């Protein structure tokens, strides 16, 4: 009996299986005539574009929100690339296990060092031959800042590890000198959301992603201060008016008002940012003056002490 011919899709699946684990790419489509329907996010990398590689157990989570709005448009236009690697493809044994019980006992599971190392080996084999910095999204990492995002945007891209369970074996983090970054003092079920936050705040800094680059210079954290309040039409809403200075047409007065408001909000809401801002301008500022400038912090501290008493 002759063997039933395989369909083109079966042949493709077989070829993929024989080739081993391969990253899934997202980006601009390379034009190619084909009678077979293809994954819209397959083989769409652009040579030389900023690239995000994601090691994750849930590649289907990407591009997620990154595929919408300005970041999604930039992805489709080839201003940046997105590649995902399924961690389980590098797992152990028949069931592709990626984790095991923590040494010394305890709850949960830990991602194995050997499994993660294999995934990192595949990720570092960048098709463009570029060495991408590796970052592990972790609540114990250094806080993500606008300055760090700006540094990453100026590089070739990034490889992001999305953790799960109780985390990743410390030995692989040490062996590869992996940077740990946190998006806040709280715990998520996995690193995928955190990775999307880091990518979003970085990609928007890539040239041509945002249409109006003046907005980058005016937004929060651009010069160490929070952004001033924003208003638009109508001029009056529910008895609340737009500040008159913004309707005056006096650009110098408007700039001063916005600057004053940025300073006020930073002092009130983020005294830590205000102290850092003042330190950059005057590294040897008198501590007494510093406390006066960040009075919101002192008031908050006084309130806490009174409550504890």
């Amino acid at each position: 009996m002759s063997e039933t011919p395989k369909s083109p899709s079966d042949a493709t699946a077989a070829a993929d299986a024989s080739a081993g684990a391969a990253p899934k790419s997202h980006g601009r489509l390379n034009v190619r005539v084909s009678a077979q329907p293809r994954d819209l996010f397959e083989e769409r990398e652009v040579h030389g574009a900023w690239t995000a590689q994601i090691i994750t157990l849930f590649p289907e989570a990407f591009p997620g929100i990154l595929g919408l709005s300005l970041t999604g448009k930039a992805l489709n236009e080839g201003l940046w690339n997105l590649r995902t690697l399924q961690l389980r493809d590098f797992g152990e044994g028949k069931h592709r296990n990626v984790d095991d019980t923590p040494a010394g006992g305890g709850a949960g599971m830990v991602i194995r060092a050997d499994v993660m190392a294999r995934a990192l080996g595949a990720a570092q084999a960048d098709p463009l031959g570029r060495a991408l910095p590796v970052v592990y999204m972790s609540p114990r990492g250094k806080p993500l800042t606008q300055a760090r995002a700006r540094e990453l945007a100026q590089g070739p891209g990034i490889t992001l590890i999305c953790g799960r369970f109780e985390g990743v074996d410390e030995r692989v983090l040490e062996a590869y000198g992996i940077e740990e970054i946190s998006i806040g003092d709280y715990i998520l079920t996995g690193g995928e959301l955190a990775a999307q936050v880091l990518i979003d705040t970085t990609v928007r800094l890539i040239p041509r992603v945002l249409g109006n680059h003046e907005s980058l210079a005016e937004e929060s954290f651009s010069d160490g201060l929070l952004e001033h309040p924003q208003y638009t039409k109508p001029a009056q809403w529910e008895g609340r008016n737009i500040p008159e200075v913004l309707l005056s047409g006096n650009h110098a007065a408007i700039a001063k008002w916005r600057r004053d408001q940025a300073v006020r909000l930073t002092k009130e809401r983020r005294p830590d940012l205000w102290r850092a801002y003042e330190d950059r301008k005057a590294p040897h500022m008198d501590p007494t003056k510093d406390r006066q400038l960040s009075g919101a912090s002192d008031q908050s501290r006084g309130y806490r002490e009174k409550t504890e008493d």
Side-chain angles (χ1 to χ4, degrees):
M1 181 182 295
S2 61
E3 183 179 358
T4 304
K6 294 183 178 180
S7 67
S9 59
D10 291 337
T12 301
D16 290 343
S18 63
K24 184 176 181 181
S25 303
H26 308 258
R28 187 167 59 187
L29 179 65
N30 295 324
V31 177
R32 182 173 61 189
V33 178
S34 173
Q36 275 300 115
R38 294 183 293 120
D39 187 332
L40 291 178
F41 288 130
E42 182 183 4
E43 296 180 6
R44 299 172 65 179
E45 288 194 12
V46 176
H47 183 82
W50 192 91
T51 299
Q53 297 187 123
I54 319 296
I55 300 175
T56 173
L57 282 167
F58 298 97
E60 62 271 20
F62 296 88
I65 194 67
L66 300 171
L68 304 177
S69 189
L70 294 176
T71 52
K73 180 180 178 182
L75 182 63
N76 290 329
E77 291 180 350
L79 298 182
W80 67 289
N81 298 320
L82 177 62
R83 306 174 71 222
T84 55
L85 292 90
Q86 168 57 268
L87 180 61
R88 198 165 297 282
D89 289 341
F90 306 93
E92 285 285 312
K94 176 181 178 181
H95 299 292
R96 299 287 188 182
N97 294 327
V98 302
D99 58 344
D100 212 320
T101 55
M109 305 290 279
V110 178
I111 295 177
R112 294 173 52 130
D114 52 354
V115 173
M116 183 57 68
R118 286 194 288 269
L120 285 169
Q124 290 185 342
D126 182 60
L128 303 180
R130 301 174 301 176
L132 304 183
V134 182
V135 169
Y136 172 42
M137 304 308 301
S138 165
R140 73 179 191 182
K142 292 183 179 179
L144 174 62
T145 64
Q146 189 75 359
R148 186 65 183 116
R150 191 176 296 111
E151 292 171 354
L152 292 172
Q154 293 170 353
I158 188 172
T159 295
L160 289 169
I161 296 175
C162 297
R164 284 272 158 178
F165 318 121
E166 296 303 310
V168 178
D169 190 307
E170 188 73 18
R171 292 171 296 180
V172 74
L173 300 178
E174 294 174 349
Y176 283 82
I178 295 172
E179 177 184 4
E180 297 184 51
I181 291 181
S182 169
I183 64 167
D185 297 336
Y186 46 84
I187 308 298
L188 300 171
T189 54
E192 286 74 19
L193 285 174
Q196 291 193 23
V197 168
L198 187 150
I199 294 172
D200 183 275
T201 194
T202 302
V203 165
R204 65 192 301 276
L205 299 175
I206 296 173
R208 295 170 49 205
V209 171
L210 293 185
N212 183 4
H213 282 275
E214 291 182 1
S215 63
L216 289 177
E218 296 177 356
E219 61 191 8
S220 288
F221 311 114
S222 60
D223 64 351
L225 299 176
L226 298 181
E227 189 177 12
H228 56 77
Q230 297 281 9
Y231 301 87
T232 188
K233 296 178 180 178
Q236 185 183 73
W237 175 76
E238 295 190 357
R240 298 172 182 267
N241 297 319
I242 292 177
E244 291 184 8
V245 64
L246 298 180
L247 305 176
S248 68
N250 186 331
H251 297 295
I254 292 172
K256 182 180 184 305
W257 180 89
R258 287 175 170 170
R259 179 71 178 182
D260 291 344
Q261 290 298 309
V263 168
R264 177 184 64 82
L265 288 173
T266 306
K267 287 181 179 180
E268 291 177 356
R269 301 183 181 182
R270 291 294 302 275
D272 57 322
L273 286 181
W274 176 252
R275 286 193 295 271
Y277 175 79
E278 286 291 304
D279 286 344
R280 283 196 299 273
K281 293 198 307 178
H284 303 295
M285 175 181 290
D286 176 50
T288 303
K289 183 178 180 182
D290 186 25
R291 285 194 297 271
Q292 292 172 350
L293 289 171
S294 57
S297 178
D298 291 337
Q299 292 172 6
S300 176
R301 188 182 303 111
Y303 174 79
R304 290 197 303 271
E305 291 173 353
K306 183 181 295 184
T307 301
E308 290 173 359
D309 291 338

